[in-house]
Amino acid sequence: MNNLPKMFEAFDDARRKGFVEVKKLKEDGKKVVGIYCAYSPSELIMAAGAVPIGLCGTSEESIPAAEKHLPRNLCPLIKSSYGFAITDTCPYFYFSDLLVGETTCDGKKKMYEYLGEIKPMHVMQLPQTNKGEHSFNLWKEEIRVLKDRLEKEFDVEITEEKLKEAIKSKNEERQILKEFYELGKLCPPPITGTEMFQVLYGSGFKLDKEAQKQYIRDIIEEVKKNIESNQQKVSKDTPRILITGCPIGGASEKVIKLIEENGGVVVCYENCSGAKPNDRLVDETIDPIDALTDKYLNIPCSVMSPNDERIDLLSRLIDEYKIDGVVEVILQACHTYSVESYRIKKFTNQEKNIPYLNIETDYSQSDIGQLKTRIAAFIEML
């Protein structure tokens, strides 16, 4: 019997169940560190004996409360994150002992000032370029400062041995996630983009990482069994879509659904839910602080200038996943991705010779009709 639907649902339900898990962790005396971005070095938090957990911020329900303090023409991710904090409706935020953020954009770093009035807040000063020794040393020092803060906050010592163990464990998690999402390279893909996203997004809310790793291994094995028995969900002629751009999840999953309801299939996520944070592992053969510095400084986000690494990653993914079209999702008022979209379109159209669609949206459902029309036309063209 095909067990995959229930297995995918388990990840889809992970956020709600995670609320119960994080409460139990606190009752057991564990420390929790809330994080907002892929630039947060989770290994340091793990080496401090604490649990890193992504905080709520992909829903429109908390935005009206946030707009009492924040401007309306601000990125919905920032407003949603802040709204959940001030309304105390995110259990992960409620149970966090410390918050860690980075100066990825102006909106976030100013919002963090307000969060610091609610919870202990540590902000890492992210260099705006990953080129050269100067930026490397700046980010290395920020990682050391975070290490000191964690040790002081939780009265622990982060030894080199603990850090190496955390790096090894996190690399294993990345490697298993990579093995899972690389199923999208197969033609036809053995799972839909919606199912792939259920696991990628839901894995951030599974706090027992050893159990998570095994569960994903089980899914991979089940998928392989379905391939062997010729159980195909997707036609080999279905247009293969890569999603790039801003982080998606929660309300912005509407884009995935519209692509797949209108004849396409998402086989690859380049953004923060997929390849961007997981493609590159931390080097386990060098000094752990140097290794973390190199790994996290080279995440190819649009906040970096220039952002050549994103082009390199996209180029490789387009080839490896046999992509027919690229859809870039940009949250309203996200200036770095909005500005960089011209470069991505030019690269996709001219160098890779495939179609590109730019979608600017927010967390509301008011643009569903417009998005459906545009996405349907794009896929029909493919």
Side-chain angles (χ1 to χ4, degrees):
M1 179 179 282
N2 186 355
N3 295 318
L4 278 175
K6 289 183 179 178
M7 298 174 89
F8 288 128
E9 286 170 14
F11 275 89
D12 210 25
D13 203 30
R15 178 179 168 183
R16 183 180 60 81
K17 290 181 177 177
F19 296 163
V20 178
E21 288 184 41
V22 73
K23 180 177 182 292
K24 186 176 185 306
L25 283 175
K26 291 295 296 179
E27 289 170 349
D28 292 342
K30 274 281 190 180
K31 299 297 184 181
V32 174
V33 177
I35 60 178
Y36 283 101
C37 184
Y39 282 103
S40 296
S42 298
E43 293 87 345
L44 267 181
I45 298 168
M46 294 160 63
V51 178
I53 189 162
L55 298 177
C56 311
T58 56
S59 168
E60 66 174 330
E61 65 188 87
S62 64
I63 288 179
E67 288 179 345
K68 293 177 182 177
H69 302 170
L70 302 177
R72 292 186 65 191
N73 62 339
L74 186 65
C75 163
L77 178 62
I78 298 172
K79 290 191 292 184
S80 181
S81 301
Y82 182 69
F84 274 115
I86 62 171
T87 57
D88 215 9
T89 49
C90 175
Y92 298 129
F93 184 92
Y94 176 82
F95 287 114
S96 291
D97 299 285
L98 176 70
L99 309 177
V100 174
E102 306 80 16
T103 54
T104 48
C105 70
D106 292 342
K108 271 189 177 180
K109 75 181 183 185
K110 298 304 292 183
M111 185 267 284
Y112 290 151
E113 293 178 16
Y114 296 148
L115 288 187
E117 297 173 5
I118 307 171
K119 288 265 186 182
M121 179 88 220
H122 183 87
V123 180
M124 302 180 75
Q125 303 297 319
L126 180 70
Q128 298 299 287
T129 179
N130 52 22
K131 309 296 182 188
E133 186 178 349
H134 180 63
S135 290
F136 183 90
N137 289 336
L138 283 174
W139 189 234
K140 182 177 179 178
E141 183 59 25
E142 286 300 304
I143 287 179
R144 282 177 170 157
V145 170
L146 175 60
K147 175 178 176 290
D148 292 343
R149 175 70 185 270
L150 290 166
E151 288 179 324
K152 182 179 179 181
E153 196 80 32
F154 301 142
D155 192 23
V156 295
E157 180 185 2
I158 299 176
T159 64
E160 184 172 322
E161 183 182 358
K162 288 179 182 176
L163 197 49
K164 285 182 176 181
E165 287 175 2
I167 288 172
K168 185 174 185 292
S169 176
K170 187 66 179 177
N171 272 348
E172 287 174 357
E173 182 186 340
R174 292 188 184 102
Q175 194 64 53
I176 291 165
L177 283 170
K178 279 185 69 175
E179 187 180 347
F180 169 72
Y181 67 67
E182 285 180 350
L183 291 168
K185 291 182 180 181
L186 300 177
C187 187
I191 57 176
T192 66
T194 301
E195 290 169 335
M196 183 186 295
F197 192 76
Q198 281 178 296
V199 175
L200 294 176
Y201 186 64
S203 64
F205 300 105
K206 281 190 171 287
L207 306 185
D208 185 340
K209 292 304 178 182
E210 293 307 312
Q212 173 194 309
K213 293 171 192 175
Q214 186 55 52
Y215 207 83
I216 297 176
R217 289 190 191 100
D218 293 342
I219 290 178
I220 294 169
E221 287 306 309
E222 191 71 22
V223 170
K224 288 178 178 177
K225 288 178 186 176
N226 286 356
I227 295 171
E228 290 172 3
S229 59
N230 289 321
Q231 295 183 37
Q232 292 184 5
K233 289 190 173 185
V234 184
S235 165
K236 63 182 179 62
D237 299 321
T238 304
R240 301 166 63 85
I241 306 298
L242 177 148
I243 288 183
T244 184
C246 291
I248 58 174
S252 54
E253 290 178 47
K254 60 188 175 185
V255 177
I256 307 169
K257 293 175 182 175
L258 287 171
I259 289 171
E260 302 202 323
E261 286 172 0
N262 286 279
V265 60
V266 180
V267 297
C268 181
Y269 297 92
E270 179 271 343
N271 54 16
C272 293
S273 303
K276 189 166 289 178
N278 295 310
D279 182 72
R280 182 173 179 169
L281 303 182
V282 178
D283 190 342
E284 297 181 34
T285 67
I286 62 175
D287 175 79
I289 296 294
D290 284 345
L292 290 176
T293 304
D294 181 64
K295 154 67 185 176
Y296 283 93
L297 186 60
N298 283 286
I299 292 173
C301 179
S302 65
V303 298
M304 289 294 168
S305 181
N307 190 19
D308 299 332
E309 283 77 6
R310 185 182 178 198
I311 296 294
D312 294 340
L313 178 59
L314 275 172
S315 181
R316 179 160 53 82
L317 294 176
I318 287 170
D319 292 342
E320 291 178 358
Y321 288 79
K322 303 178 182 64
I323 298 301
D324 296 309
V326 170
V327 174
E328 179 158 25
V329 180
I330 299 175
L331 295 173
Q332 288 175 1
C334 181
H335 301 312
T336 56
Y337 273 105
S338 292
V339 173
E340 194 165 276
S341 65
Y342 172 69
R343 184 183 184 191
I344 301 303
K345 178 181 180 180
K346 189 166 66 169
F347 165 76
T348 304
N349 288 165
Q350 297 179 10
E351 294 191 36
K352 306 307 287 186
N353 197 31
I354 59 174
Y356 165 94
L357 177 65
N358 179 315
I359 289 176
E360 185 176 355
T361 188
D362 59 13
Y363 293 150
S364 75
Q365 302 301 301
S366 61
D367 59 353
I368 289 284
Q370 177 196 19
L371 291 181
K372 181 178 180 179
T373 301
R374 294 185 63 211
I375 289 171
F378 179 72
I379 293 172
E380 187 177 347
M381 174 187 67
L382 297 180

